[in-house]
Amino acid sequence: MTPTDIAEDGAELLPIATGARTRAALRTLIRPDRGRAILGLGVLVGATAVGLLVQPLLGRIVDIVADGRPADALTLPVVLLLVVAVVQGVTTTLGLTQVARLGETVLARLREQFIERALQLSADRLERAGAGDLTARVTGDVARVAEAVRSALPEMARSVLAIVLTLGAMALLDVRFLLAALLAVPVQALTARWYVTRAVTVYADQRVANGAQQQQLLETIGGAVTVRGHRLEEQHTEKSAARSRRAVELTMRSVHLVLGFYARLHIAEYIGLAAVLVTGFFLVRDGSVSIGTATAAALYFHSLFGPVNAALVLLDDAQSAAAGLARLVGVTDLQESTDLQESAVRLPQQRNGSTSEAAVTVDAVSHAYGPGRTVLHEVSLTLRAGEHVALVGTSGAGKSTLARLVAGVQQPTGGTVSVAEGKTAPSVTAPSVVLVTQEVHVFTGTLAEDLRLARPDATDADLRTALATVHALEWAEALPEGLATVVGEGGHRLDPARAQQLALARLVLADPPVAVLDEATAEAGSAGARTLERSAEAALAGRTALVVAHRLTQAVAADRIVVLEAGRVVESGTHDELRTADGPYATLWHAWSGSRAAPHL
């Protein structure tokens, strides 16, 4: 794994695999389909070998004409040409089909590994890298590798085989033809080296620049309201323009590189063909070979133009795909190397079978998002089985961080989080803790499919029960096609409150013993706040719950309130206890309820 790169904006980009690691990963991906790879390669070898009969047959026709033989002497070579064409076409199709299937299988396996690893990345790691870097990899890099697999890989395999076998055929005609053809090799080799040494850096830089460009666009578009509110349009426009200029500059460098590459290839073709023709002239003059043989040699070399140029030109796609593949492998390896090493130090979330009343135990937990960015300082907290605890504090106090640590979404940099095994969940794969945040995604598909993400074996009756629990069944059944209505991107749009009820219904279906709500009712607005709070209360019934309270009405209903300030627990107790204690919570309550007493004069 290469050292982590730092983007222009200071983001700590996700790692990029080294060339050796990328090749090793590729071999691992291909290993399960070695049989198909051998079969495809063998069929392509046969197809190429059959195709090499064309030049000698054409040379035979030239000799027949040059010797003035009867026209019927041409029948056999012409028929054989037709047979060769049919056999080569069929075998080439079969071989390329096998290679294409191999490529698609490997690509699918790579995609699965990438998505699996990406979903397992810790939230703080993604925050350090920025969404643009991961987005560029999952879109641009995957697309580039897919394009190479579907077009470049089959063509490269066929071209390499054609080059090797054609050079062998030229040697069989006369080794001097082969030696003449090899005069083009030094120019081609120098051209390939010249290109590769420059292309690797250019394409890698281009991928990074595209990621930075996407990151800037995501930040600008996502924060458009804030940008306009603070009159930052000009600054953000300039940042977007600067990163776009960088991406365009690298694209133009790659274009100039390709143009120079083609120019050098044409020189190599001229040198090689001239050498073969001159060699043929002298050999025919000396009677060493016939005119037909010299013609076959010239046709052999001319037939190399396509495969050689294709193979060298495909270096362009190969280098670009290799850069993209290295970025994908960098992510697939991340959990196996970096994150696992970090987790060994961070003491990850543990589960135990304790029979005590403690459902969740947070023991001296600290967390930092980087050097000098500590947000939690040795926080200790115990949630008893069935207890509802509300986290309260000002913005930046560390509430959401603590919620993610309890949910296991992030790992603490110090201390431990232990979750006791609770009641048996409806599925052996169901998590012990489920996190619901205010940022809810509605997946594309039917409403039923979206709900079954939490419990794939749930019946329609189970889905309706879950929706009824969170007071969402009425509007769900009123949709155009009920549970079969397509929601998400391109489907029926759900407003934020209904999307949040959908998330809470998934929580009910998953039926975890512990639930964590991180401002899960914040998106409802004032009008739908009470409805959504009722939905949350119903979803949490019978569970141990940690609730990051967006509104203090949620804290009032909790069994216990924990107040955080600057990453430390400063108060803990019931609403009535803390309200009369004249501490931080009382201050928050008076400010929120508008009942702060006037100061004595």
Side-chain angles (χ1 to χ4, degrees):
M1 199 75 63
T2 60
T4 302
D5 293 321
I6 303 298
E8 295 177 2
D9 60 356
E12 184 182 325
L13 301 181
L14 295 169
I16 300 174
T18 62
R21 175 60 196 133
T22 302
R23 290 189 292 273
L26 189 57
R27 288 193 296 270
T28 301
L29 289 168
I30 293 175
R31 189 172 294 120
D33 295 284
R34 284 175 296 183
R36 177 173 289 168
I38 294 172
L39 175 62
L41 183 62
V43 174
L44 283 179
V45 169
T48 305
V50 170
L52 293 177
L53 296 174
V54 171
Q55 289 81 359
L57 289 172
L58 290 175
R60 179 62 178 168
I61 292 174
V62 170
D63 283 337
I64 291 174
V65 174
D67 294 342
R69 298 179 189 179
D72 57 1
L74 297 174
T75 302
L76 180 60
V78 170
V79 170
L80 290 176
L81 281 175
L82 293 175
V83 172
V84 166
V86 173
V87 173
Q88 185 184 26
V90 172
T91 52
T92 298
T93 299
L94 291 175
L96 291 179
T97 299
Q98 291 299 318
V99 173
R101 285 179 177 174
L102 172 66
E104 290 294 339
T105 302
V106 171
L107 178 62
R109 194 172 292 130
L110 175 64
R111 280 174 170 161
E112 291 172 358
Q113 291 183 5
F114 179 85
I115 295 299
E116 178 183 356
R117 299 294 188 226
L119 290 175
Q120 293 175 354
L121 290 178
S122 62
D124 53 340
R125 186 66 184 87
L126 288 177
E127 288 174 2
R128 294 200 303 271
D133 187 30
L134 186 62
T135 301
R137 298 187 192 218
V138 80
T139 54
D141 291 325
V142 169
R144 189 59 58 91
V145 173
E147 181 182 354
V149 164
R150 290 166 184 156
S151 58
L153 177 62
E155 187 62 30
M156 176 69 83
R158 187 171 64 169
S159 297
V160 171
L161 289 173
I163 293 168
V164 173
L165 295 179
T166 300
L167 291 175
M170 292 184 72
L172 291 176
L173 293 178
D174 193 297
V175 71
R176 286 168 287 187
F177 285 126
L178 174 61
L179 295 175
L182 292 179
L183 291 177
V185 172
V187 179
Q188 292 168 334
L190 290 174
T191 298
R193 182 177 180 181
W194 172 85
Y195 175 77
V196 168
T197 55
R198 289 162 174 78
V200 172
T201 302
V202 169
Y203 286 118
D205 291 345
Q206 191 176 10
R207 300 268 72 79
V208 172
N210 287 339
Q213 182 188 34
Q214 289 194 34
Q215 176 67 27
Q216 183 61 48
L217 292 174
L218 287 171
E219 290 179 352
T220 300
I221 295 173
V225 175
T226 302
V227 170
R228 287 194 297 268
H230 290 274
R231 299 294 188 268
L232 298 175
E233 295 93 339
E234 185 176 345
Q235 292 93 319
H236 275 257
T237 299
E238 179 54 36
K239 285 182 179 180
S240 298
R243 295 190 179 182
S244 296
R245 284 193 297 269
R246 175 61 176 166
V248 170
E249 175 190 344
L250 289 169
T251 300
M252 294 308 300
R253 282 177 57 187
S254 67
V255 170
H256 291 147
L257 194 63
V258 171
L259 291 176
F261 178 68
Y262 280 119
R264 288 166 172 78
L265 287 184
H266 292 326
I267 295 174
E269 291 174 357
Y270 173 79
I271 292 173
L273 184 57
V276 170
L277 290 174
V278 170
T279 300
F281 169 77
F282 285 109
L283 292 178
V284 170
R285 189 187 66 176
D286 296 340
S288 300
V289 300
S290 67
I291 296 176
T293 301
T295 301
L299 290 173
Y300 268 138
F301 187 81
H302 188 273
S303 70
L304 284 175
F305 285 8
V308 169
N309 288 348
L312 294 177
V313 166
L314 286 174
L315 287 174
D316 179 63
D317 292 334
Q319 290 302 316
S320 181
L325 182 60
R327 284 162 56 82
L328 295 177
V329 173
V331 174
T332 63
D333 279 355
L334 193 56
Q335 286 292 319
E336 295 177 346
S337 57
T338 307
D339 274 13
L340 288 183
Q341 292 170 7
E342 290 177 359
S343 65
V345 176
R346 292 182 178 184
L347 298 175
Q349 182 188 52
Q350 302 171 351
R351 293 179 182 175
N352 57 60
S354 173
T355 57
S356 68
E357 290 188 357
V360 178
T361 302
V362 178
D363 184 15
V365 161
S366 298
H367 189 74
Y369 289 101
R373 297 179 59 196
T374 302
V375 294
L376 291 178
H377 304 271
E378 297 187 353
V379 173
S380 294
L381 176 66
T382 299
L383 277 68
R384 295 184 297 274
E387 183 182 26
H388 290 187
V389 175
L391 280 181
V392 172
T394 57
S395 178
K399 304 185 300 296
S400 293
T401 299
L402 181 57
R404 288 197 292 265
L405 295 178
V406 171
V409 175
Q410 293 178 232
Q411 302 296 334
T413 52
T416 60
V417 177
S418 301
V419 179
E421 296 292 348
K423 61 184 179 180
T424 303
S427 169
V428 294
T429 60
S432 293
V433 185
V434 169
L435 170 69
V436 180
T437 70
Q438 69 182 72
E439 298 173 355
V440 176
H441 182 74
V442 178
F443 293 87
T444 300
T446 65
L447 182 63
E449 291 171 341
D450 204 306
L451 287 166
R452 286 193 175 99
L453 290 171
R455 186 176 158 195
D457 61 347
T459 64
D460 284 353
D462 294 330
L463 302 186
R464 289 188 173 87
T465 299
L467 289 168
T469 300
V470 297
H471 311 291
L473 182 59
E474 183 178 351
W475 64 256
E477 291 188 330
L479 293 175
E481 297 179 53
L483 294 178
T485 302
V486 175
V487 295
E489 188 70 26
H492 186 89
R493 181 181 178 277
L494 299 182
D495 61 40
R498 289 183 174 181
Q500 196 64 258
Q501 285 181 308
L502 180 61
L504 292 171
R506 287 199 292 255
L507 169 63
V508 173
L509 286 167
D511 197 18
V514 179
V516 179
L517 269 57
D518 184 6
E519 298 189 349
T521 62
E523 294 296 323
S526 299
R530 182 54 191 155
T531 298
L532 202 50
E533 286 176 8
R534 286 176 55 237
S535 298
E537 290 171 7
L540 296 179
R543 310 180 204 285
T544 304
L546 181 66
V547 179
V548 177
H550 175 69
R551 295 175 176 84
L552 291 188
T553 51
Q554 295 172 289
V556 174
D559 299 319
R560 183 159 51 100
I561 300 169
V562 174
V563 183
L564 288 180
E565 276 192 2
R568 292 181 172 85
V569 175
V570 294
E571 277 189 311
S572 178
T574 65
H575 168 71
D576 291 334
E577 292 171 347
L578 296 183
R579 189 183 59 177
T580 58
D582 198 24
Y585 180 78
T587 303
L588 289 173
W589 174 259
H590 291 310
W592 182 81
S593 63
S595 60
R596 181 187 295 273
H600 295 287
L601 298 178

